[in-house]
Amino acid sequence: MSGTDRQQAILDLLRAETSVETEDLARRFDVTPQTIRRDMAVLVERGLAVRTHGGAQRRASTSTLAYEDRRLRHAREKEAIGRVVADMIPDGSSIMLNIGSTTEQVAQALSNHKDLLVITNNINVVHILRMSEIASLKIAGGSVRPSDGAIIGGDAVAFMDRHKADFAVIGCSSLDADGAILDFDEREVAVARAILRNARQKILVVDRSKFDVDASVRICSLGELDVVVTDGPLPESFLQAAEAAQTRVICTSDPNHTPV
């Protein structure tokens, strides 16, 4: 079991049992107590647990834990997507990023870029990039959603409409086999749409598990995107829709993929 998978399992236990013991976890996962302590340190750093004598207990709210679930699930795939997108963004570019665990991996992969102008409604992106050598980092104003650090609402939409960027990088909660890009929250979707209409190149970052999620609010169609970067083979109907829309699909699992 990888460290990421083990941390996810510890998080699941914290949700179910409130507290856990280091020695018990070491036996459960057949690793050393030192390995478990390192895993716990990661969860503590993310605000999801507090250390106790001999273990840890849950600290985060249920909604925050749910977002951390999304961060940890398919983490390696999201990291690979982030690296591919970062290779597509030259130094000195301007980029808009919305909320999402995969867009945060794009931000992480961009942390060594220079002279970027980054515009976002994602508080986590600000934390990731604030110490990097970027030219400017701008964050929208508006209502903050505590569960994930998204800034949403009319003020955030107006903020995005006052800017123009070379690249938009957005995530989503759901993909439909016919090519629809979907999410749950209309306020979040309104910001994503504003990001798309104010960018010259539009990139969707998404892992293929989103085909298993059913959301109802449409962000856009494939025809409104230039590139989709994903982690593996997609349904044939989706690929056909992308071809008809002249939208490029890049799969990180394909060893022959090349940057746009």
Side-chain angles (χ1 to χ4, degrees):
M1 178 181 286
S2 70
T4 298
D5 291 340
R6 194 170 51 249
Q7 291 156 23
Q8 176 65 54
I10 294 171
L11 197 61
D12 291 340
L13 288 169
L14 281 171
R15 180 185 291 104
E17 302 176 12
T18 306
S19 64
V20 292
E21 299 295 326
T22 300
E23 296 293 336
D24 290 343
L25 293 175
R27 287 191 292 271
R28 178 189 290 260
F29 298 114
D30 193 24
V31 296
T32 66
Q34 290 80 6
T35 297
I36 294 298
R37 291 189 189 100
R38 288 194 292 269
D39 291 333
M40 287 182 176
V42 172
L43 299 179
V44 169
E45 183 181 358
R46 292 175 174 171
L48 297 168
V50 58
R51 293 300 292 265
T52 63
H53 181 69
Q57 65 184 27
R58 188 177 71 199
R59 183 171 65 184
S61 68
T62 301
S63 59
T64 303
L65 281 168
Y67 188 65
E68 191 63 23
D69 270 348
R70 297 200 297 274
R71 275 193 177 137
L72 291 174
R73 293 187 193 280
H74 312 289
R76 289 186 295 276
E77 292 84 352
K78 292 173 183 178
E79 289 171 6
I81 291 169
R83 290 192 296 270
V84 168
V85 175
D87 285 344
M88 298 163 60
I89 310 292
D91 289 345
S93 300
S94 54
I95 179 172
M96 291 180 169
L97 294 163
N98 78 334
I99 189 65
S101 56
T102 311
T103 55
E104 288 167 22
Q105 288 299 327
V106 175
Q108 191 67 57
L110 288 169
S111 59
N112 292 323
H113 278 49
K114 300 182 186 300
D115 300 322
L116 294 178
L117 166 59
V118 178
I119 302 164
T120 187
N121 69 319
N122 186 339
I123 287 175
N124 307 305
V125 165
V126 174
H127 290 316
I128 292 167
L129 290 175
R130 65 187 180 87
M131 300 300 290
S132 60
E133 296 182 42
I134 60 177
S136 182
L137 180 56
K138 296 185 177 184
I139 188 165
S143 300
V144 178
R145 189 165 58 192
S147 63
D148 57 6
I151 300 173
I152 52 180
D155 289 342
V157 172
F159 174 85
M160 295 302 176
D161 280 333
R162 291 197 298 270
H163 294 83
K164 188 79 173 181
D166 298 320
F167 297 91
V169 178
I170 69 163
C172 69
S173 293
S174 173
L175 290 174
D176 195 275
D178 68 1
I181 316 302
L182 304 161
D183 223 304
F184 294 102
D185 190 328
E186 291 188 2
R187 300 166 301 168
E188 178 182 337
V189 167
V191 179
R193 288 173 179 163
I195 289 173
L196 289 174
R197 65 175 170 262
N198 289 292
R200 298 176 182 90
Q201 175 116 326
K202 303 165 181 65
I203 303 169
L204 174 70
V205 291
V206 61
D207 68 83
R208 55 187 165 173
S209 71
K210 298 301 190 294
F211 284 102
D212 299 326
V213 180
D214 186 17
S216 61
V217 185
R218 182 186 294 270
I219 299 173
C220 64
S221 64
L222 276 169
E224 298 169 81
L225 300 168
D226 297 298
V227 184
V228 175
V229 183
T230 187
D231 62 315
L234 302 181
E236 186 61 31
S237 59
F238 188 89
L239 294 175
Q240 289 174 355
E243 183 177 5
Q246 297 185 317
T247 300
R248 185 173 184 188
V249 177
I250 299 174
C251 292
T252 60
S253 60
D254 179 0
N256 297 315
H257 80 76
T258 55
V260 172

